[in-house]
Amino acid sequence: MPAAALVGECLVPGTGSGDVLFSDVPLSFMGGVDPFTGMVTDIHHPLHGACVSGRVLVIPSGRGSCSGSGVIVEMLVHGSAPAALVFSHHESILTLGVVIARELFGPSIPVLRLAGDDFAALRGTASAAVTDGVVHAVGSVPPSAPDDVQQPAIPLTADDERILAGEYGEGARTAMRIVLEAARLEGATDLLDVEMGHIDGCFYQGPASLALAQRLAATGSTVRVPTTMNALLVDRRRWRDLGVSPDVGEPSDLMADALVTLGVQPSYTCAPYLLATRPRFAQQIVWAESNAVVYANSVLGARTMKYPDYLDLLVALTGRAPATSTHLPLARRATVRVDVDVPGALLDDALWPTLGYLVGSVAPHEIPVLTGLQDAAPTDDDLKAFGAAFATTSAAPMFHIVGVTPEAAGLEEATAGADVRVVTVDRADLTRTWAELNSATAEHVDLVSLGNPHFSLTECGTLADLCDGRRAADGVRLVVTCGRDVFEQASAAGHVARVERFGGTFLNDTCWCFLAAPVVPDSDAAIVTSSGKYAHYGPAAVGRGLYLRNLRDCVETAATGRIATPSSPWLQG
């Protein structure tokens, strides 16, 4: 410990002590930490292989998936959580996960934020204790933390008061209490109405996730705005035929059923922006699922913060959200400019996930605005791939691309005229990032994984064109995940039949981040994917190396069974 105790901002009160686990790299709990062992599973993170359970975890913030809140809830209930969380940046996902666990189940840990120098002072510290907003030596008496600045009471409408009085059911009343606590933590002074929702906290993470959904469903409360559901652990219509264990399939079904009881539409897609009901520009919504949040804010110009799992559902149960973050115009401006120095003639569909992953790494807490891509004319699918990879390495809820995204007609519009720091990325940077995402070494490939996020209708059509007249090699599976709506459209257009003639198959309802054996067979062979998001999360999820390739190279690999030499023209060397 430093000589003096460190006084920070108390986010969640409490006491805890243990060995310090320090990193200056943000960490996604979803896909990065095992909720039952506490082991860091993210192979790209400096803490890979360390255990967070019972330790004072000191990290700048979370990052990546909105489901990190669900992981910390599961850990608190299971008893595998850290002893305390110490951040240096604004952090919503993990902090509100602790609040939700405390309010619904009881267990809690202290959470605080330290200023930069005080945060850095914990590097190399062996052990520490946390008491409310103070980090101090184990066994010492902490100094008194300064009194919290009292925020003005959040004004409530007559309908808010009726919710708190229980007129809409106990579930809605509990939801409103937590929404108000979230507003306090986010520094909001008001609530606002939302018009639609998308629930990420709908997949079975463990007993706590199911208990939470069933407990709310039993209250008789229902969502107050049209609300869709994210991908599940399984394809609901096929999991038994696919050989998935009932230990996984049955609680997953129960979880989805509880949310349907709460009025959530069974859309089962991680790409709700592909539905006919996608939000309009400037519409206030409550969306979780990191790639969906980034796409809604950045590409559609809708208004949502990056909602933690379960808070998304609680907001939908009330129709009211904290008036904060990217719900508000000022919070949507860029604070870092990323100049992309890559000739437009060299771009292909593999560049966009690689670039998104890179930009998220250089702007882990800031909204970036990209220049140099005005003439690139990225498609909606390109922006989908970029946003999903960006949301994997960044905690920011959106991005801008000058001349492409709706709030960046020019650089001044995206930055509101403010001076911003400037970063330049070039082909060498992209090549290094691409190498990081290519974690496999085996030449033989037995699985081609497509659809993370879920494939669109246009992607299905492009894939069918590439598959025409060819066949998958013996022992190689090409599997596409997509939403039910897109699958029906692709079937009607003939795309599904053409891909199936190649030897490909389709899965609905689920996501590659959840899939394991038997859908992903145990093997020493590599997996190839076109998704930067899955190239990051896949190694921890299935214990195998992955290759990132453009879609053409993915099909070539499937047809030969050997990893295709990358054809992306922007790669150096």
Side-chain angles (χ1 to χ4, degrees):
M1 271 295 296
L6 305 174
V7 179
E9 178 186 1
C10 179
L11 302 177
V12 181
T15 59
S17 62
D19 294 341
V20 170
L21 187 62
F22 180 97
S23 177
D24 54 11
V25 178
L27 174 64
S28 172
F29 270 46
M30 178 61 193
V33 179
D34 186 294
F36 302 108
T37 67
M39 299 299 295
V40 178
T41 57
D42 180 355
I43 68 166
H44 305 282
H45 199 277
L47 296 181
H48 177 241
C51 182
V52 306
S53 299
R55 302 179 77 171
V56 176
L57 180 61
V58 184
I59 54 176
S61 70
R63 68 177 182 184
S65 176
C66 297
S67 298
S69 55
V71 174
I72 195 69
V73 168
E74 206 69 48
M75 295 178 79
L76 284 162
V77 174
H78 182 70
S80 56
L85 291 169
V86 180
F87 304 122
S88 61
H89 288 267
H90 179 81
E91 215 302 317
S92 296
I93 304 295
L94 297 174
T95 302
L96 288 168
V98 173
V99 170
I100 291 166
R102 182 191 66 194
E103 294 298 319
L104 293 175
F105 296 106
S108 184
I109 55 174
V111 183
L112 74 153
R113 182 164 51 237
L114 288 176
D117 290 344
D118 286 349
F119 176 87
L122 290 174
R123 184 192 300 270
T125 298
S127 63
V130 176
T131 303
D132 298 334
V134 179
V135 182
H136 56 99
V138 175
S140 68
V141 177
S144 298
D147 292 336
D148 290 338
V149 177
Q150 295 297 311
Q151 292 179 219
I154 291 177
L156 301 177
T157 66
D159 199 49
D160 294 338
E161 297 282 9
R162 285 192 290 271
I163 295 174
L164 285 171
E167 292 186 23
Y168 299 103
E170 183 58 32
R173 178 163 66 177
T174 299
M176 180 58 85
R177 288 200 303 265
I178 298 175
V179 168
L180 289 169
E181 176 68 4
R184 181 191 70 80
L185 284 168
E186 293 293 310
T189 58
D190 204 353
L191 302 180
L192 53 78
D193 293 330
V194 293
E195 297 182 35
M196 71 164 58
H198 181 70
I199 305 305
D200 186 45
C202 60
F203 65 93
Y204 178 73
Q205 295 210 57
S209 62
L210 179 56
L212 184 151
Q214 291 182 326
R215 184 178 300 179
L216 290 172
T219 67
S221 298
T222 57
V223 295
R224 308 189 82 203
V225 295
T227 303
T228 52
M229 197 182 308
N230 207 56
L232 308 176
L233 286 185
V234 297
D235 185 325
R236 288 206 72 179
R237 297 177 291 195
R238 297 181 57 203
W239 64 261
R240 291 177 179 83
D241 294 338
L242 292 167
V244 175
S245 168
D247 292 341
V248 174
E250 290 176 356
S252 180
D253 281 349
L254 290 172
M255 184 94 178
D257 289 342
L259 289 168
V260 170
T261 299
L262 287 162
V264 181
Q265 300 166 23
S267 50
Y268 308 136
T269 180
C270 61
Y273 41 82
L274 299 177
L275 299 171
T277 54
R278 75 184 197 171
R280 62 184 182 275
F281 183 83
Q283 187 174 19
Q284 297 287 359
I285 62 176
V286 50
W287 273 21
E289 160 58 44
S290 60
N291 98 85
V293 169
V294 166
Y295 194 98
N297 277 323
S298 310
V299 182
L300 303 181
R303 307 288 194 258
T304 180
M305 64 177 269
K306 192 174 182 181
Y307 277 92
D309 280 13
Y310 309 141
L311 183 60
D312 50 2
L313 177 59
L314 300 175
V315 170
L317 286 167
T318 64
R320 301 278 279 164
T324 187
S325 183
T326 37
H327 281 294
L328 306 178
L330 190 61
R332 300 174 67 84
R333 69 183 184 183
T335 57
V336 56
R337 189 181 94 205
V338 180
D339 295 335
V340 181
D341 183 15
V342 180
L346 300 181
L347 306 187
D348 73 343
D349 55 294
L351 174 130
W352 297 100
T354 308
L355 180 60
Y357 196 87
L358 171 60
V359 172
S361 299
V362 301
H365 305 102
E366 300 173 90
I367 295 174
V369 54
L370 280 66
T371 69
L373 297 170
Q374 293 91 325
D375 299 326
T379 66
D380 285 352
D381 293 326
D382 293 333
L383 296 173
K384 174 165 74 81
F386 175 95
F390 169 77
T392 301
T393 49
S394 178
M398 67 181 296
F399 63 86
H400 302 282
I401 301 178
V402 171
V404 175
T405 55
E407 295 170 75
L411 182 63
E412 184 171 346
E413 180 184 15
T415 62
D419 290 333
V420 297
R421 72 182 182 96
V422 179
V423 178
T424 299
V425 298
D426 57 19
R427 292 175 65 190
D429 298 315
L430 286 163
T431 300
R432 285 191 295 270
T433 302
W434 181 86
E436 180 182 349
L437 288 168
N438 281 265
S439 58
T441 56
E443 292 186 2
H444 177 64
V445 172
D446 65 358
L447 176 63
V448 177
S449 155
L450 304 174
N452 190 353
H454 279 169
F455 250 30
S456 68
L457 180 62
T458 54
E459 286 175 306
C460 290
T462 301
L463 175 62
D465 291 343
L466 291 169
C467 289
D468 280 345
R470 309 191 75 182
R471 287 285 301 174
D474 290 343
V476 179
R477 301 178 65 203
L478 183 147
V479 183
V480 182
T481 58
C482 62
R484 293 184 181 189
D485 284 21
V486 167
F487 181 75
E488 291 173 2
Q489 296 169 43
S491 295
H495 303 329
V496 170
R498 293 161 64 197
V499 172
E500 289 178 340
R501 281 196 293 271
F502 174 85
T505 59
F506 286 79
L507 290 176
N508 300 148
D509 304 349
T510 190
C511 166
W512 283 105
C513 292
F514 305 146
L515 291 171
V519 177
V520 179
D522 291 326
S523 169
D524 293 330
I527 299 171
V528 64
T529 184
S530 60
S531 164
K533 179 176 181 177
Y534 191 51
H536 173 88
Y537 286 124
V542 297
R544 296 168 63 178
L546 270 81
Y547 288 109
L548 178 67
R549 292 291 188 271
N550 63 29
L551 189 57
R552 179 177 296 278
D553 290 345
C554 285
V555 174
E556 178 66 23
T557 298
T560 64
R562 299 182 69 84
I563 185 64
T565 301
S567 63
S568 296
W570 48 269
L571 283 170
Q572 285 189 331

